[in-house]
Amino acid sequence: MTNPVLIEVLRGSIVESAHRGAVCVADADGGIVWETGDTERPVFPRSAVKAIQALPLVESGAADAYGFGQRELALACASHSGEAAHAELARAMLAKAGLDESALECGTQWPTNRAAADMLTRGGAKPCALHNNCSGKHSGFLCTCVHAGFDHHGYVGADHPEQEMVRSAMETVTEASHGPENRGTDGCSIPTYAVPLRNLARGFARMVSGNGLGPQRAKAAERLLKACMAEPFLVSGTGRADIALMEAAPGRIFAKTGAEGVYCAALPELGYGIALKCDDGATRASEAMIAAVLARMLAGDEGVAATLNTLANPVFSNWNGIDVASLRPTTAMHSEG
Amino acid sequence: MTNPVLIEVLRGSIVESAHRGAVCVADADGGIVWETGDTERPVFPRSAVKAIQALPLVESGAADAYGFGQRELALACASHSGEAAHAELARAMLAKAGLDESALECGTQWPTNRAAADMLTRGGAKPCALHNNCSGKHSGFLCTCVHAGFDHHGYVGADHPEQEMVRSAMETVTEASHGPENRGTDGCSIPTYAVPLRNLARGFARMVSGNGLGPQRAKAAERLLKACMAEPFLVSGTGRADIALMEAAPGRIFAKTGAEGVYCAALPELGYGIALKCDDGATRASEAMIAAVLARMLAGDEGVAATLNTLANPVFSNWNGIDVASLRPTTAMHSEG
């Protein structure tokens, strides 16, 4: 099936571009609350599932052994902007396990935050793996390895015990198989597995409600999602969508972006999990889509819904500060489904 | 109609994302050589039509009065990367008309070229309007104004005589009406008008063949396209697609990108004009689309087609330099049409 247009890009009053996609909202019992588009087609969730990938860090006891609080757990679930606070916290996490940035296998990335990149440039410094947007997740992986007594070298490999723990957590939570047949390699070199949006939405409903996870995993999931909601800056970075979404209703929205137009979210008060993908991989569209679907699900709270609807309808100005373009969710975002 | 998927994004062997679009190739008589998707739907051509917008600079005599050669004409048609050579040439063009960057109304933009931006940052300097990717076009507009005796203030406005000259050239070349009903504002604040891809493709066939333009305009069009083909760096910037496409067959391919997934091109030896738009506005996809259609049109030259096909199938590596993703034109790019 062809997915519907969910977001239109307007220049003046004319539609200039359009973004198709699919969205699934599931409840704590696995029921489909609302969906649109093909939610059975496998998609790579990329970084949107970092909170699930961080379960072994908590479940193994490593997080407690190293005294990690909400800040460290939030960073372990983050796609951060490489700002100084992000890089320093990743360094501190590694130090707890007796490691430094040389152990990171995520690769070097310039901070995506412009001011942070400029600060390095002005100082004549170069970025390192701590600035990689995934350094918190990788620091969590490394701490888990050291605590468990694994040789951490090669921890990004699909057959390394660390990635086997991560894969096992992903399979249990999403109830989707993760194997060589649906595997790709992510930007930070760990495996990513293509699974249907329905499984991802149901997975986040399990994460936020604890349903079907068993008491230990349910507690770990709750700790991780609460950490992210408490520290949205550490999950994301200055000016980014994850922060705006989670701050729209503090403690009531978990939201996490992933590359190539994926977004996952969870609503504790409703026990809902949400997963979506913009077909063409555009971040601008996935951000507007998740804001629109969150506004729809929280429509009962007019203030929160209004904030979210503003995020779903961003306006873009040109180099002279003149508003020239905007995004608009289509009627498909409001369909019966 | 729903446009076909023209480019797939692969992660490993799995399709991760997909880009839809429409393409039109027209010949010098206005005949359709090949097309796919809805080529009658109006699209904003954005910067892809800068060569047409530069016609008044040549036709008015301003280019000759100020002694502009191929370098200046190429920059007048450019969406450049704000590198030092671009900014300095724009400054020199303005100086010929007795102006400086304070006359530019395109707004300030950081160089899109990373090294150029870093050079400014390291020196504690800030960008100015000369670094705006459109500064060459605007310098051309300003030179035209001064030569014609217009008050240049407000030259970006739709009702200013400069923009009326530009609009008249666009209307004549594309044979599409340009009015308030199909007008938007571009990133550099000048008007942009949504017209069908068929009109754009036929327009570039006229530009490259001279057919139906009259001798003076045909000569101006030839001069501008030849300037761009001779100076692809000045039209574009280090490492960018316009350069790679035009250098694939020097003097035989004119290619110009536009924002929101538009590409226009022309093939002098065939008298063909080409216009395409990626529905979702993605540059990565429009670049692969134009490379694929150029490879198709120049299939008779195996070496050139091979180079273009490599550009149509780019491979992306991750932070560790591992190839993890790639683009692939679909069978729709090879359809009978």
Side-chain angles (χ1 to χ4, degrees), chain B residues 7 17-18 47 100 105 115 117 137 177 189-190 195 200 212 217 222 268 271 314 330 333:
Chain B
I7 300 292
S17 300
S47 291
D100 63 22
E105 298 182 15
K137 176 181 71 176
S177 72
S189 296
I190 72 161
V195 300
L200 294 168
R217 175 154 287 174
E222 185 184 14
T330 65
M333 285 301 296

Tab-separated table of all heavy atoms in Angstrom, chain B residues 7 17-18 47 100 105 115 117 137 177 189-190 195 200 212 217 222 268 271 314 330 333:
chain	number	residue	atom	x	y	z
B	7	ILE	N	13.741	6.861	-6.180
B	7	ILE	CA	15.003	6.553	-5.487
B	7	ILE	C	14.689	5.809	-4.189
B	7	ILE	O	13.854	6.258	-3.395
B	7	ILE	CB	15.784	7.850	-5.150
B	7	ILE	CG1	16.130	8.631	-6.417
B	7	ILE	CG2	17.046	7.531	-4.320
B	7	ILE	CD1	17.153	7.970	-7.338
B	17	SER	N	14.174	3.849	3.280
B	17	SER	CA	13.373	5.029	2.963
B	17	SER	C	13.183	5.076	1.449
B	17	SER	O	13.852	4.342	0.709
B	17	SER	CB	14.070	6.309	3.444
B	17	SER	OG	14.277	6.288	4.842
B	18	ALA	N	12.268	5.924	1.001
B	18	ALA	CA	11.983	5.997	-0.431
B	18	ALA	C	11.589	7.417	-0.807
B	18	ALA	O	10.951	8.119	-0.019
B	18	ALA	CB	10.862	5.030	-0.785
B	47	SER	N	16.061	27.789	-6.887
B	47	SER	CA	17.328	28.231	-7.488
B	47	SER	C	17.700	27.508	-8.772
B	47	SER	O	18.714	27.850	-9.391
B	47	SER	CB	18.468	28.039	-6.490
B	47	SER	OG	18.340	28.931	-5.414
B	100	ASP	N	28.628	48.018	-2.686
B	100	ASP	CA	29.266	47.008	-1.842
B	100	ASP	C	28.174	46.128	-1.238
B	100	ASP	O	27.002	46.244	-1.603
B	100	ASP	CB	30.171	47.642	-0.777
B	100	ASP	CG	29.397	48.515	0.195
B	100	ASP	OD1	28.152	48.330	0.328
B	100	ASP	OD2	30.008	49.385	0.824
B	105	GLU	N	20.273	42.462	-0.655
B	105	GLU	CA	19.058	42.261	0.138
B	105	GLU	C	18.726	40.775	0.277
B	105	GLU	O	17.570	40.405	0.498
B	105	GLU	CB	17.893	43.036	-0.489
B	105	GLU	CG	18.149	44.549	-0.517
B	105	GLU	CD	16.990	45.370	-1.094
B	105	GLU	OE1	15.864	44.835	-1.217
B	105	GLU	OE2	17.217	46.552	-1.430
B	115	ALA	N	34.540	24.079	5.706
B	115	ALA	CA	35.872	24.670	5.871
B	115	ALA	C	35.787	26.191	5.812
B	115	ALA	O	36.473	26.901	6.561
B	115	ALA	CB	36.830	24.142	4.809
B	117	ALA	N	33.189	28.047	6.617
B	117	ALA	CA	32.560	28.506	7.858
B	117	ALA	C	33.564	28.463	9.005
B	117	ALA	O	33.649	29.401	9.807
B	117	ALA	CB	31.339	27.648	8.183
B	137	LYS	N	23.811	35.893	-7.690
B	137	LYS	CA	22.575	36.264	-8.391
B	137	LYS	C	22.161	37.679	-8.019
B	137	LYS	O	21.817	38.495	-8.889
B	137	LYS	CB	21.462	35.272	-8.013
B	137	LYS	CG	20.093	35.596	-8.605
B	137	LYS	CD	19.037	34.584	-8.161
B	137	LYS	CE	18.690	34.738	-6.698
B	137	LYS	NZ	17.593	33.836	-6.264
B	177	SER	N	2.449	31.287	-16.920
B	177	SER	CA	2.157	32.580	-16.311
B	177	SER	C	2.762	32.649	-14.910
B	177	SER	O	2.838	31.656	-14.188
B	177	SER	CB	0.655	32.825	-16.255
B	177	SER	OG	0.075	31.989	-15.286
B	189	SER	N	14.557	36.051	-0.525
B	189	SER	CA	13.528	37.096	-0.498
B	189	SER	C	12.976	37.525	-1.852
B	189	SER	O	12.038	38.332	-1.900
B	189	SER	CB	13.974	38.338	0.288
B	189	SER	OG	14.170	38.011	1.648
B	190	ILE	N	13.509	37.010	-2.964
B	190	ILE	CA	12.881	37.348	-4.246
B	190	ILE	C	11.666	36.430	-4.459
B	190	ILE	O	11.538	35.398	-3.820
B	190	ILE	CB	13.855	37.228	-5.441
B	190	ILE	CG1	14.168	35.761	-5.780
B	190	ILE	CG2	15.121	38.035	-5.205
B	190	ILE	CD1	14.724	35.575	-7.186
B	195	VAL	N	5.464	26.559	-11.313
B	195	VAL	CA	5.083	26.238	-12.696
B	195	VAL	C	5.309	24.745	-12.932
B	195	VAL	O	6.100	24.116	-12.237
B	195	VAL	CB	5.894	27.071	-13.723
B	195	VAL	CG1	5.657	28.561	-13.518
B	195	VAL	CG2	7.380	26.773	-13.646
B	200	LEU	N	9.220	23.884	-17.306
B	200	LEU	CA	10.627	24.093	-16.960
B	200	LEU	C	11.528	23.306	-17.910
B	200	LEU	O	12.559	23.821	-18.373
B	200	LEU	CB	10.880	23.682	-15.506
B	200	LEU	CG	10.155	24.550	-14.460
B	200	LEU	CD1	10.235	23.898	-13.080
B	200	LEU	CD2	10.740	25.960	-14.414
B	212	GLY	N	13.005	29.443	-30.573
B	212	GLY	CA	11.859	30.237	-30.144
B	212	GLY	C	12.191	31.399	-29.230
B	212	GLY	O	11.291	32.086	-28.752
B	217	ARG	N	18.100	36.854	-27.283
B	217	ARG	CA	17.922	36.043	-26.072
B	217	ARG	C	18.619	34.697	-26.224
B	217	ARG	O	19.199	34.179	-25.261
B	217	ARG	CB	16.427	35.856	-25.784
B	217	ARG	CG	16.144	34.926	-24.622
B	217	ARG	CD	14.826	35.210	-23.940
B	217	ARG	NE	14.896	36.424	-23.154
B	217	ARG	CZ	13.850	36.988	-22.533
B	217	ARG	NH1	12.650	36.446	-22.639
B	217	ARG	NH2	14.004	38.087	-21.826
B	222	GLU	N	22.825	31.138	-24.393
B	222	GLU	CA	24.008	30.323	-24.700
B	222	GLU	C	25.208	30.777	-23.868
B	222	GLU	O	25.957	29.955	-23.329
B	222	GLU	CB	24.327	30.419	-26.199
B	222	GLU	CG	25.474	29.504	-26.608
B	222	GLU	CD	25.865	29.657	-28.080
B	222	GLU	OE1	25.428	30.648	-28.729
B	222	GLU	OE2	26.605	28.795	-28.566
B	268	PRO	N	23.375	20.329	-24.468
B	268	PRO	CA	23.543	21.081	-25.721
B	268	PRO	C	23.518	20.198	-26.970
B	268	PRO	O	22.893	20.556	-27.966
B	268	PRO	CB	24.922	21.752	-25.546
B	268	PRO	CG	25.164	21.785	-24.078
B	268	PRO	CD	24.444	20.622	-23.492
B	271	GLY	N	19.971	19.197	-27.489
B	271	GLY	CA	18.948	20.248	-27.405
B	271	GLY	C	17.862	19.917	-26.403
B	271	GLY	O	16.737	20.392	-26.503
B	314	PRO	N	24.986	6.627	-4.964
B	314	PRO	CA	25.985	6.935	-3.939
B	314	PRO	C	25.910	5.978	-2.756
B	314	PRO	O	24.841	5.435	-2.452
B	314	PRO	CB	25.626	8.355	-3.504
B	314	PRO	CG	24.172	8.471	-3.792
B	314	PRO	CD	23.925	7.655	-5.023
B	330	THR	N	15.084	3.441	-8.962
B	330	THR	CA	14.169	2.312	-9.172
B	330	THR	C	13.956	2.071	-10.667
B	330	THR	O	14.413	2.857	-11.513
B	330	THR	CB	12.800	2.593	-8.539
B	330	THR	OG1	12.211	3.698	-9.250
B	330	THR	CG2	12.933	2.936	-7.066
B	333	MET	N	12.797	4.813	-13.078
B	333	MET	CA	13.746	5.722	-13.736
B	333	MET	C	14.165	5.168	-15.098
B	333	MET	O	14.815	5.867	-15.876
B	333	MET	CB	15.000	5.937	-12.871
B	333	MET	CG	14.819	6.838	-11.658
B	333	MET	SD	14.255	8.535	-11.999
B	333	MET	CE	15.607	9.204	-12.949
